[in-house]
Amino acid sequence: MTHQHPFKTLLEKDYGYVGVCESCKMYHIAYKNFMFCLDETEFEWFRQLLVEKKMVETFSTPHGKELIHYTPLSNFYLLFSYSEMDELLTLMNEISMTVEARKMLKNIN
């Protein structure tokens, strides 16, 4: 069974994209090999964690990852290099501004 959603890509980069389902208002944050589907509150919560470096610690691996991000899931972690963390945060910050602008425009009309 297929389920159709009116999906709109808000930002696309070589390393990922962010889009929103216009019906359920879920944001799809795809970065390299993972994707999160978050509502607006969860999106902002995750973005703030990255901005404030909460739940993030240095964690060197032999594969070039230097940071570990703890998640609310037991025994599930995200590993990043410093440049990957910067890319993801840039992506999410740009979308945050886009979401705020969309809200303002909606209130004007």
Side-chain angles (χ1 to χ4, degrees):
M1 181 161 96
T2 56
H3 192 75
Q4 296 295 328
H5 287 268
F7 186 79
K8 179 175 177 125
T9 300
L10 301 174
L11 179 65
E12 190 169 352
K13 305 245 183 207
D14 289 340
Y15 51 81
Y17 69 88
V18 178
V20 64
C21 171
E22 298 285 357
S23 292
C24 61
K25 305 297 186 221
M26 293 296 285
Y27 290 88
H28 298 219
I29 301 100
Y31 178 75
K32 296 198 177 191
N33 65 343
F34 67 80
M35 182 172 77
F36 291 107
C37 296
L38 307 171
D39 66 25
E40 189 175 331
T41 302
E42 294 165 333
F43 175 90
E44 187 55 32
W45 172 78
F46 184 62
R47 190 183 73 79
Q48 278 304 119
L49 288 178
L50 296 178
V51 166
E52 297 170 10
K53 304 289 190 262
K54 290 184 178 175
M55 299 172 66
V56 176
E57 294 180 7
T58 57
F59 186 84
S60 186
T61 70
H63 300 66
K65 305 300 180 182
E66 301 143 324
L67 300 167
I68 187 168
H69 186 288
Y70 298 94
T71 70
L73 299 173
S74 178
N75 298 317
F76 182 76
Y77 312 96
L78 301 174
L79 296 174
F80 297 100
S81 67
Y82 283 101
S83 63
E84 289 172 334
M85 181 69 80
D86 289 342
E87 284 177 344
L88 179 58
L89 188 53
T90 297
L91 187 74
M92 294 189 72
N93 283 337
E94 287 180 27
I95 288 305
S96 184
M97 289 186 283
T98 301
V99 168
E100 288 305 311
R102 286 173 53 127
K103 279 197 250 181
M104 284 190 245
L105 289 173
K106 220 180 257 187
N107 289 335
I108 290 173
N109 295 328

